[in-house]
Amino acid sequence: MPESIDHPEGGETEPVRLPESDLESIEANVRKLLGQSAEQARQLDSLASAPPPPDSLFGAFGMPGFAGLAPQSAPPEPRPILELEGEEYEDELDALSDWVDDFLVRVYGAEVTTAAPWCEQWQEHADVVAWLHALWLAYQQHKDPEAGLSGLFVWHRDFLTHAMATVRAAGGPLSACMTDPDRPAHRLLPGPPPSSRTAAEIAESEENGARGQGAG
């Protein structure tokens, strides 16, 4: 049996003193264990955030990954609005109209004059829709925290000023529309005719179509 330890009077035990070499060895072991624990924590975080590879058992059946969460799919890439069609186009135009009417024009819409025309039916001008949609996409990008503190300054300098100057230019796409707030107007300006090469191809196609109908 181990020898009993005699307690001094008063019931208090004296602290155990270890040699200096033993203390250094214990400290080294503790540091090693802490380092291993930190490394394991980093590995677990990495495994939890990474989606399972496509050829893994989890990925093949669409099952959750290591952390019990399904891999997050990347958001769809923004597309120019004029490339959209049907309901997708209408939904995007509705969202754009809300931003233009509730924010852009209310904050940055200078007075309507002959030098800065506007149109209450700007949605009917395809080129204006394209310009404002591009401006809106740039706004969403530059107001994101990842754009940094200067993000919105860059948007004002490189996007807002140029886009509004083009859309509302005296000879721009809205020059035949409203130049006085008291006299709303809307007119689509005709664009240039197709090039002679395209016109020839159209004429040839129409001629071939007419021959086909005549043969039938």
Side-chain angles (χ1 to χ4, degrees):
M1 295 179 60
E3 297 181 359
S4 61
I5 300 176
D6 296 332
H7 297 281
E9 295 181 0
E12 296 182 358
T13 58
E14 295 182 358
V16 178
R17 301 183 182 278
L18 297 176
E20 190 69 24
S21 59
D22 291 345
L23 286 175
E24 293 178 355
S25 176
I26 293 174
E27 291 177 354
N29 289 333
V30 170
R31 286 195 296 270
K32 183 178 180 180
L33 290 173
L34 290 175
Q36 292 176 346
S37 177
E39 179 63 25
Q40 290 175 351
R42 285 193 294 269
Q43 292 177 355
L44 289 174
D45 290 341
S46 176
L47 289 172
S49 60
D55 55 351
S56 71
L57 179 62
F58 296 109
F61 294 96
M63 296 176 64
F66 179 84
L69 298 174
Q72 297 294 325
S73 58
E77 293 292 333
R79 295 169 55 194
I81 191 171
L82 297 186
E83 293 184 0
L84 306 179
E85 296 179 353
E87 185 177 350
E88 191 177 9
Y89 173 83
E90 293 298 330
D91 290 343
E92 191 74 359
L93 185 60
D94 285 343
L96 173 62
S97 299
D98 290 341
W99 180 74
V100 171
D101 294 338
D102 297 340
F103 173 72
L104 183 67
V105 174
R106 182 169 56 84
V107 177
Y108 302 102
E111 182 182 4
V112 176
T113 64
T114 55
W118 185 245
C119 183
E120 293 181 342
Q121 301 180 52
W122 59 265
Q123 294 91 341
E124 302 298 323
H125 299 262
D127 48 354
V128 174
V129 170
W131 269 101
L132 296 181
H133 186 254
L135 183 62
W136 180 41
L137 293 181
Y139 174 76
Q140 294 177 71
Q141 176 185 355
H142 285 80
K143 76 182 183 70
D144 190 280
E146 292 185 0
L149 297 177
S150 61
L152 284 177
F153 177 84
V154 174
W155 178 76
H156 282 83
R157 182 195 64 192
D158 295 347
F159 298 91
L160 173 68
T161 302
H162 184 60
M164 294 299 281
T166 301
V167 168
R168 302 190 62 182
L174 303 181
S175 57
C177 297
M178 183 171 60
T179 58
D180 186 331
D182 296 329
R183 294 195 298 272
H186 165 66
R187 183 165 72 90
L188 295 176
L189 298 175
S195 65
S196 56
R197 180 184 179 88
T198 301
E201 291 177 351
I202 294 175
E204 182 179 358
S205 177
E206 292 176 348
E207 183 179 353
N208 292 335
R211 288 177 180 175
Q213 292 179 356

